[in-house]
């Protein structure tokens, strides 16, 4: 664990330094230079944070649904702790994605919010997370809370993909094609791609590190409240 | 009716991780009756609900066997009749409709004559076409007995059996009780000495810790 | 239908709910008042101004959505509130209860949607439909999907507190893909002829209905127990 | 029990695939200048800026005008009540929202689609410029 923390800390520091400090030049001559992206210039750097954040918020949702399913099968409250911790972190990352995306949208598309399909999808994911916690807070009894929350996470997990493919037909997307797209082609400069993928890996690592801390904390609180009074 | 055998072993129930009761085990064969006693809030109703498979225990198992075959928990209701204060009737329907609608939902179809007989048994035959909303609480209690008795269950669960009943009603309950104990099982949760002495056996439940548990919201005693 | 068969029990639950609704009119009264008040508000605010086609389609579905929310959650909530859910649990298993109530909700919402649409078309002359078959298919599929989502959310809500505020919060993200698709289909019905102009929308609606019902079937058992 | 779960999961996945397929088959719907002219309502038109034609910003009235070609190749004069948007020149595509009347498209909003290529080779730069 200690080793993992150290590596993660070093890794993310390196990623952040590279993302902010590598110069953006018109003609690349050295390995540490980023190309000029017309229309983005310095703003291109947000790519290294926005996309990994979006990615982790989806990871959070998927982890939450997986443990929700497991809770319903095992009825062990520990699975509920994992599920709700994953959702809590997912909510945080989802909010950060929305904010970074909205800032990017302002400078690239001209408005903070345009109900672009991606914006709508991430907004609805935010709503789902919100609803999940609203439901949890309205039930007092542990088992019931866990069951209802798990059921809601699963129903939302089933309907969410529909939104992702329905939305783009309602409004055209201005959002760039996904970096990791279906054609298997990556249109990115090598240095940028390396930093980007390192950032993706770093944020995923960060997610799972915070996740393990949250789970540990929740378990301790759980234990304390069972022994309390 | 079918001969049933009931085994409860190591039952424990926690509400929000605080134990209501723990380590309750018993075994009942046809003809045996059991009283569950304990102070208010000690979890008598909770235990009954667990036996009826309406609640799942935190630990332990309830097994119901019919003719030597174990009944899966989700099908246990077929062999159970229950009367309890927290069990409510459809107030917008008449006594007769309550019987026939529930009968259909149970997937059975008794004849009109059988409904009449049941209603006569609980002395409601003259009010059978009145909606339950107009009933007194004692009459509602009587109708619950008719519903519980309809399928001639192997296992009869009575929570506070004499709630709201007059002397006539109590003697009706007694005769049902005697009828059931001939070849069935009865479990009675009660605060009353009189009910407990009728039974072969009594288990006293109490919270495993000092300072009894407050009952969970919406529970009877 | 064999005695105790799945369909027989489902029909019995449906019958019980229907007769109960006829006696008590819990949902019907709420729905009727809702329809009258919202329609008159729309009528007053539009007066004689012309409104774009999409606004009509959207408005109609906003009406149906909120009507569904005010009426359809009741089937499970009344059982829970009145303590009759235990009687049901002592009488049958989860699946027929779920499907009985789903059937009740679907039929109730179909009737409501039909009345609402006719009233809407009568009071708002701007609501002109080029393809009645497209409209009917869209309304039907949208209604079935909305009722399916409302039923499972209603079952969830019945177990929680603060239901009034929780219901729209929980259902909106779930039904949004359905609403967006069906509004599009309704718009197509108003703009284009031929029943198959909205074929892609039908496909999305059908797949939504299948997916949410399969998921509900899997999870309802867990809500039912405890 | 397990058979039921597998069956239900298969139904869910099949349903999603069925819905997804119908999405892949149809393209994103944009209006073009042709429909914009005929429907008299607010539409979204996607196209590209024509740099050869006159593009100017009238600072006094704060009106930005330019020419744009829609995806069907129809050229129209676009009037936008506001300043030139960011990235206008280098955008992959431009989406204008507004109404068509009297020979011009009056945009209420202009959105510029940002490039989805992060290569920055001179070839890409040439293409977008």
């Amino acid at each position: 664990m200690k080793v993992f923390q150290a590596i993660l800390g070093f890794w993310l520091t390196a990623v952040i330094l590279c993302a902010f400090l590598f110069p953006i030049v018109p003609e690349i001559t050295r390995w540490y230079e980023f190309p000029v992206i017309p229309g983005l210039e310095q703003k291109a750097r947000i790519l290294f944070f926005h996309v990994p954040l979006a990615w982790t918020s989806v990871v959070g949702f998927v982890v939450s649904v997986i443990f929700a399913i497991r809770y319903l099968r095992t009825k062990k409250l520990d699975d509920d702790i994992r599920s709700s911790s994953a959702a809590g972190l997912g909510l945080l990352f989802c909010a950060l994605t929305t904010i970074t995306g909205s800032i990017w949208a302002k400078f690239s598309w001209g408005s903070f919010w345009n109900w672009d399909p991606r914006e709508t999808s991430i907004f609805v994911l935010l709503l789902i997370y919100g609803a999940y916690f609203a439901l949890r807070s309205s039930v007092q009894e542990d088992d019931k809370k866990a069951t209802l929350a798990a059921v809601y996470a699963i129903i939302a997990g089933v309907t969410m993909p529909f939104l992702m493919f329905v939305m783009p037909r309602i409004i055209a997307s201005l959002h760039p094609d996904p970096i990791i797209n279906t054609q298997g082609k990556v249109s990115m400069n090598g240095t940028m791609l390396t930093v980007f993928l390192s950032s993706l890996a770093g944020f995923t690592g960060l997610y799972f590190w915070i996740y393990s801390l949250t789970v540990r904390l929740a378990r301790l609180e759980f234990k304390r409240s069972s022994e309390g009074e | 009716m079918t001969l049933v055998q009931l085994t409860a072993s190591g039952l424990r129930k926690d509400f929000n991780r605080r134990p209501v009761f723990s380590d309750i085990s018993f075994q009942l064969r046809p003809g045996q009756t059991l009283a569950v006693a304990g102070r208010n809030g000690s979890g008598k109703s909770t235990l009954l609900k667990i036996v009826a498979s309406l609640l799942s225990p935190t630990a332990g198992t309830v097994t119901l066997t019919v003719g030597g075959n174990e009944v899966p928990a989700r099908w246990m209701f077929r062999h159970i009749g229950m009367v309890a204060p927290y069990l409510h009737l459809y107030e917008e329907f008449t006594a007769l409709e309550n019987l026939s609608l529930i009968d259909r939902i149970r997937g059975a179809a008794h004849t009109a004559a059988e409904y009449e007989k049941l209603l006569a048994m609980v002395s409601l035959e003259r009010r059978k076409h009145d909606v339950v909303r107009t009933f007194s609480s004692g009459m509602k209690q009587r109708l619950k007995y008719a519903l519980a008795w309809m399928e001639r269950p192997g296992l009869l669960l009575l929570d506070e059996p004499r709630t709201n009943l007059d002397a006539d009603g109590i003697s009706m309950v007694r005769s049902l009780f005697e009828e059931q104990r001939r070849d069935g099982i009865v479990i009675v949760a009660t605060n009353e000495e009189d009910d407990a002495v009728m039974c072969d056996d009594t288990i006293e439940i109490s919270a495993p810790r000092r300072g009894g548990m407050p009952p969970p919201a919406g529970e009877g005693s | 239908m064999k005695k105790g068969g799945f369909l027989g029990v489902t029909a019995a639950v449906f019958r019980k709910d229907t007769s109960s609704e006829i006696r008590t009119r819990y949902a019907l009264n709420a729905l009727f008042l809702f329809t009258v008040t919202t329609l008159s508000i729309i009528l007053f605010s539009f007066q004689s101004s012309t409104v774009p086609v999409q606004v009509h389609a959207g408005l109609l579905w906003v009406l149906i959505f909120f009507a569904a929310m005010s009426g359809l959650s009741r089937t499970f909530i009344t059982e829970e509130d009145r303590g009759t859910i235990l009687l049901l649990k002592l009488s049958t298993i989860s699946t027929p209860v779920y499907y009985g109530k789903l059937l009740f909700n679907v039929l109730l919402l179909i009737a409501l949607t039909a009345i609402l649409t006719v009233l809407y078309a009568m009071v708002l002359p701007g609501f002109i439909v080029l393809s009645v078959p497209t409209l009917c298919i869209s309304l039907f599929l949208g209604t079935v999907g909305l009722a399916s989502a409302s039923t499972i959310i209603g079952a969830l809500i019945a177990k929680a507190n603060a239901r009034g505020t929780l219901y729209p919060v929980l259902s909106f993200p779930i039904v949004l893909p359905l609403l967006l698709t069906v509004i599009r289909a309704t718009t197509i019905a108003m703009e284009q002829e031929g029943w198959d102009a909205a074929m892609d929308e039908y496909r999305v609606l059908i797949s939504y209905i299948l997916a949410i019902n399969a998921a509900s079937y899997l999870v309802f058992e867990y809500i039912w127990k405890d | 029990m397990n058979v039921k779960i597998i069956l239900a999961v298969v139904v869910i996945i099949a349903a999603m695939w069925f819905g997804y397929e119908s999405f892949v088959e149809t393209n994103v719907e944009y209006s073009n200048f042709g429909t914009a002219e005929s429907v008299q309502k607010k539409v979204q038109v996607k196209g590209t800026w024509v740099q050869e034609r006159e593009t100017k910003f009238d600072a006094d009235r704060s009106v930005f005008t330019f020419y744009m070609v829609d995806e069907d190749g129809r050229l129209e004069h676009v009037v936008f009540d506001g300043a030139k948007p960011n990235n206008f020149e280098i955008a992959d595509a431009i989406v204008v929202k507004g109404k068509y009347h009297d020979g011009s498209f009056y945009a209420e909003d202009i959105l510029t689609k940002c490039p989805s290529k992060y290569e920055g080779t001179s070839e890409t730069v040439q293409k977008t410029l």
Side-chain angles (χ1 to χ4, degrees), chain B residues 47-188:
Chain B
L47 179 62
L48 245 62
K49 284 182 185 171
I50 289 173
V51 170
S53 190
L54 293 171
L55 270 184
S56 19
T58 309
T61 52
V62 175
T63 336
L64 191 73
T65 56
V66 174
N69 301 318
E70 194 179 318
V71 183
R74 61 202 296 255
W75 292 107
M76 264 163 63
F77 66 87
R78 288 194 163 167
H79 307 280
I80 291 171
M82 189 168 184
V83 176
Y86 40 83
L87 189 72
H88 293 281
L89 303 159
Y90 289 102
E91 306 229 326
E92 67 274 25
F93 294 131
T94 67
L96 199 57
E97 285 168 334
N98 263 291
L99 287 184
S100 67
L101 286 169
I102 291 298
D103 197 25
R104 292 238 165 67
I105 291 174
R106 281 182 185 162
H110 290 87
T111 61
E114 282 168 309
Y115 295 145
E116 299 280 333
K117 221 175 115 191
L118 274 169
L119 289 170
M121 179 189 84
V122 296
S123 327
L124 285 175
E125 68 272 35
R126 281 194 299 179
R127 298 289 302 271
K128 66 185 175 194
H129 291 306
D130 293 348
V131 289
V132 172
R133 197 184 304 113
T134 65
F135 280 19
S136 73
S137 40
M139 290 162 71
K140 287 178 191 166
Q141 180 78 349
R142 284 161 184 263
L143 187 54
K144 289 182 201 170
Y145 275 98
L147 271 170
W149 196 251
M150 188 156 56
E151 289 280 325
R152 291 305 325 278
L155 171 60
L156 192 61
L157 301 173
L158 307 177
D159 197 343
E160 304 293 344
R162 50 174 87 200
T163 315
N164 298 321
L165 289 179
D166 54 15
D168 268 3
I170 290 167
S171 74
M172 173 207 83
V173 172
R174 273 189 182 263
S175 63
L176 276 185
F177 182 90
E178 293 305 327
E179 172 92 28
Q180 175 74 7
R181 84 187 305 178
R182 288 220 306 253
D183 48 6
I185 299 173
V186 191
I187 301 180
V188 183

Side-chain angles (χ1 to χ4, degrees), chain B residues 13 49 52-56 73-75 77-78 80 82 86-94 97-98 101-102 104-109 131 133 147, chain C residues 2-5 8-9 12-13 15-17 19-21 23-24 79 82-95 97 221 224-226:
Chain B
K13 182 66 184 175
K49 284 182 185 171
S53 190
L54 293 171
L55 270 184
S56 19
R74 61 202 296 255
W75 292 107
F77 66 87
R78 288 194 163 167
I80 291 171
M82 189 168 184
Y86 40 83
L87 189 72
H88 293 281
L89 303 159
Y90 289 102
E91 306 229 326
E92 67 274 25
F93 294 131
T94 67
E97 285 168 334
N98 263 291
L101 286 169
I102 291 298
R104 292 238 165 67
I105 291 174
R106 281 182 185 162
V131 289
R133 197 184 304 113
L147 271 170
Chain C
K2 81 176 203 287
K3 174 190 156 182
V9 176
V13 173
R15 238 178 76 142
K16 186 215 69 122
D17 276 7
S19 5
S20 171
E21 185 54 46
R23 292 274 166 89
T24 60
E79 301 273 6
R82 299 190 295 165
T84 49
I85 191 94
L86 282 183
L87 199 58
L88 273 186
K89 283 186 179 176
L90 282 169
S91 306
T92 187
I93 54 169
S94 60
T95 323
V97 173
E221 174 101 39
W224 178 249
K225 185 100 188 185
D226 295 320

